[in-house]
Amino acid sequence: MTSPMGTVRRQIIDLLSQEAMTALDLSQAVRTSEKEVYRHLAHIQKTVAGQGRKLAVTPCTCLACGFTFTDRRRLTKPGRCPRCRESRIDHPVFRIME
C-alpha cells in the first residue's frame, strides 16, 4: 500500500521529469500547499540523486534590481533581496534532469 506522501512525491517527480515548474505550479497540480511542496522537494532531491539524476534549480531573481540568487542552497523562495531589500522576487523553477 502506498502512503499519501509517497503518491504526492511520485506525482511531483513525474511532473518535473516532463517539464520545469515552480513550487506554486506543483502545488496546484498535486493539490497541496506550496509549503508542503518545498518539503517534498528536499526529499525528492535525495531520491533522484540516488537514481543518478539531478533536481536542477533555476535560481530566483529580484524583479526590482535583477540580483540572481545563484549561491542559494535552500529550495524555498527568499523573503528579500540582499542588494536592494525589495521583496519582489520570482519563484525558483525546478526540473529533474537525467
Side-chain angles (χ1 to χ4, degrees):
M1 183 169 143
T2 307
S3 71
M5 291 293 213
T7 303
V8 171
R9 285 190 190 147
R10 183 78 247 161
Q11 289 174 352
I12 292 172
I13 290 171
D14 292 343
L15 287 167
L16 291 179
S17 295
Q18 296 169 20
E19 64 181 302
M21 299 177 83
T22 66
L24 182 61
D25 297 334
L26 288 166
S27 72
Q28 292 170 349
V30 299
R31 297 176 184 245
T32 190
S33 71
E34 192 175 350
K35 189 174 180 179
E36 278 297 311
V37 168
Y38 282 119
R39 283 193 202 129
H40 288 302
L41 286 171
H43 292 279
I44 288 169
Q45 192 171 34
K46 294 174 187 173
T47 300
V48 298
Q51 299 168 349
R53 300 189 295 169
K54 181 183 178 194
L55 178 66
V57 181
T58 303
C60 302
T61 304
C62 176
L63 299 173
C65 73
F67 178 81
T68 303
F69 293 81
T70 53
D71 296 332
R72 187 172 172 87
R73 298 215 184 271
R74 288 188 225 161
L75 299 174
T76 57
K77 177 180 146 184
R80 292 185 180 267
C81 174
R83 185 189 294 165
C84 70
R85 301 288 183 220
E86 282 286 331
S87 59
R88 295 184 307 135
I89 298 169
D90 68 354
H91 292 271
V93 179
F94 304 97
R95 174 81 197 243
I96 294 177
M97 308 297 284
E98 293 299 323

